[in-house]
Amino acid sequence: MLALRLARGTHPLVLTRRLLVAAASAGVGFLLLCTLGYASGHPGRSSDSVLRLLWCLVPLAATVQFAIAVARTDPSTRPRHGLSAVGLGPFRLSVLAAVSTAVATTLGSAVALLFFLHLRGDLTGLPFDGEAAGLLGADAPLPLAAALTLLALVPLTASAGSALALRSRRESRAAASPDPDGFPAEDLTPPAPAPGGLPWGVALTAAGLAVEAYAGRGASGNPFPLPGRLDSTPAGVLAGWTLTAIGLALAGPGLSHLAGRLLQAVRPGAVRLLAGRVLMDEARRIGRPLGVVCAVVSAGIAAAALHDSGPRPYGPLTALGALLVLGCTTATLLTSALEARQDRARTAETLLRMGAPASALRSATALRAGVLLLVFAPPTWIIAELAALPLSA
């Protein structure tokens, strides 16, 4: 009830982010139900059904990541002075974040179920009744228990992830420098140490590319169907791309920290020092989602290159899954940048009170974006070319 009351008085932009989470949850739920419909209509192709279900885990993971990022930036779940006195400590706020995430994702799952049943022809009285009956396996009964189980995946994982992410963040802050309410006081700290995941990230990325290259050699004999009509991708390609995505996510903080050091090299001025210091401090926060975005973009470039080199019958469900992954990862990156900006708000106000021009802060923001583009764009293009090369041979 408290979560619903807070939602009524929330800023429209916050409500928009929650609605985007609900829309992403609806898209993933629809893909899962389509996989279930395919399995019900083709009982003799259980292996294909399992592979299609595995492909749905990619947009599911992107949606959960986006939901956690939205929960971290929700103003109603951010620690404030005096909340502990009324019983809203770190644990209660984490529960509140989980409930808010569950409400949004459950709404999306319910919309997905209604839309799926409508397109199958199970619900009548609206336009486009049963327009996709053949694609969604309308000739076979839909197992209700299995459908509800699949639809519960996004709410359960997103809620648990949001609660754990917010609780771990608040416990780390409180342990660093607690005040009387149990939350850390903002103070000046030395530059953050360099993240240590860069070597592991490079190794996993190389391993993922090697797996993709090896799997591409047997593409004709080992089909791995996407949720749609793309039936020519080998199973090892998904495993290789997953390793590549994990590797880029691990390497992202190290590359962001390196970008901050590059900004401060060779006699930097005040703006470059400010931009570089902020990048070093925020390397872990924005580096991981930025690495995932690079993995998704590289996969998109490779897929476009394969599409241009020959006929690739991408279906509507494949397009929906790609749109969900690209949209959720990009939105996660933007939301993480917003979270970093919220945490820097007091520092920015202090600099402005000390006489720093607002143009200097805007210039520092532009410098950070530019150097991140220069650091991350070349690896993204190289990985895309290396991934597409064995598949197009």
Side-chain angles (χ1 to χ4, degrees), residues 1-4 92-106 159 162-163:
M1 184 62 66
L2 177 60
L4 294 177
R92 292 291 181 87
L93 288 177
S94 301
V95 173
L96 180 61
V99 172
S100 300
T101 304
V103 170
T105 51
T106 303
S159 302
S162 300

Side-chain angles (χ1 to χ4, degrees), residues 15 44 89 122 126 243 247 256 259 270 282 298 301 317 325 333-334 355 389:
L15 289 177
D122 297 334
L126 294 174
L243 285 177
S256 300
E282 297 175 355
S298 64
I301 295 174
L317 299 182
V325 173
L333 176 60
L334 296 177
L389 183 61

Side-chain angles (χ1 to χ4, degrees), residues 23-362:
S25 175
V28 175
F30 184 77
L31 287 178
L32 291 171
L33 290 176
C34 290
T35 302
L36 179 61
Y38 178 86
S40 301
H42 303 81
R45 301 180 179 178
S46 57
S47 59
D48 290 348
S49 301
V50 172
L51 294 176
R52 289 170 180 262
L53 181 61
L54 290 178
W55 269 115
C56 293
L57 296 181
V58 178
L60 188 149
T63 300
V64 170
Q65 183 191 26
F66 177 45
I68 293 174
V70 170
R72 289 171 64 95
T73 57
D74 196 330
S76 63
T77 60
R78 296 181 69 85
R80 291 184 293 272
H81 295 286
L83 289 181
S84 297
V86 296
L88 289 177
F91 177 76
R92 292 291 181 87
L93 288 177
S94 301
V95 173
L96 180 61
V99 172
S100 300
T101 304
V103 170
T105 51
T106 303
L107 174 63
S109 297
V111 171
L113 179 60
L114 293 177
F115 191 65
F116 178 80
L117 294 177
H118 169 60
L119 291 181
R120 272 173 54 100
D122 297 334
L123 298 180
T124 58
L126 294 174
F128 309 106
D129 287 337
E131 289 292 329
L135 180 64
L136 304 181
D139 54 345
L142 185 71
L144 180 60
L148 295 179
T149 301
L150 290 177
L151 289 176
L153 287 179
V154 176
L156 290 177
T157 54
S159 302
S162 300
L164 291 176
L166 268 69
R167 183 168 178 81
S168 61
R169 182 184 66 175
R170 295 190 179 108
E171 286 179 351
S172 62
R173 287 182 176 181
S177 178
D179 59 25
D181 274 337
F183 297 110
E186 187 170 348
D187 56 353
L188 295 177
T189 58
L198 184 58
W200 287 104
V202 173
L204 283 178
T205 301
L209 291 174
V211 171
E212 290 184 41
Y214 180 79
R217 298 169 53 188
S220 59
N222 189 12
F224 193 93
L226 282 165
R229 296 191 180 91
L230 182 59
D231 299 326
S232 59
T233 305
V237 172
L238 177 61
W241 182 84
T242 302
L243 285 177
T244 302
I246 296 174
L248 287 175
L250 288 176
L255 292 176
S256 300
H257 195 275
L258 176 62
R261 286 191 174 275
L262 290 177
L263 274 178
Q264 301 174 79
V266 191
R267 302 176 62 182
V271 175
R272 288 171 56 193
L273 281 174
L274 176 62
R277 170 66 184 272
V278 170
L279 268 184
M280 293 171 65
D281 289 340
E282 297 175 355
R284 288 178 173 84
R285 179 178 298 166
I286 66 174
R288 290 189 178 92
L290 187 55
V292 175
V293 168
C294 290
V296 172
V297 171
S298 64
I301 295 174
L306 293 174
H307 186 275
D308 293 337
S309 63
R312 293 295 190 276
Y314 296 121
L317 299 182
T318 301
L320 175 60
L323 179 63
L324 282 173
V325 173
L326 181 60
C328 287
T329 51
T330 304
T332 300
L333 176 60
L334 296 177
T335 305
S336 300
L338 176 63
E339 181 189 7
R341 181 182 178 184
Q342 290 175 350
D343 290 345
R344 294 196 314 268
R346 186 174 300 179
T347 302
E349 293 175 1
T350 303
L351 291 174
L352 292 175
R353 286 198 303 267
M354 294 172 60
S359 60
L361 299 181
R362 292 193 294 268

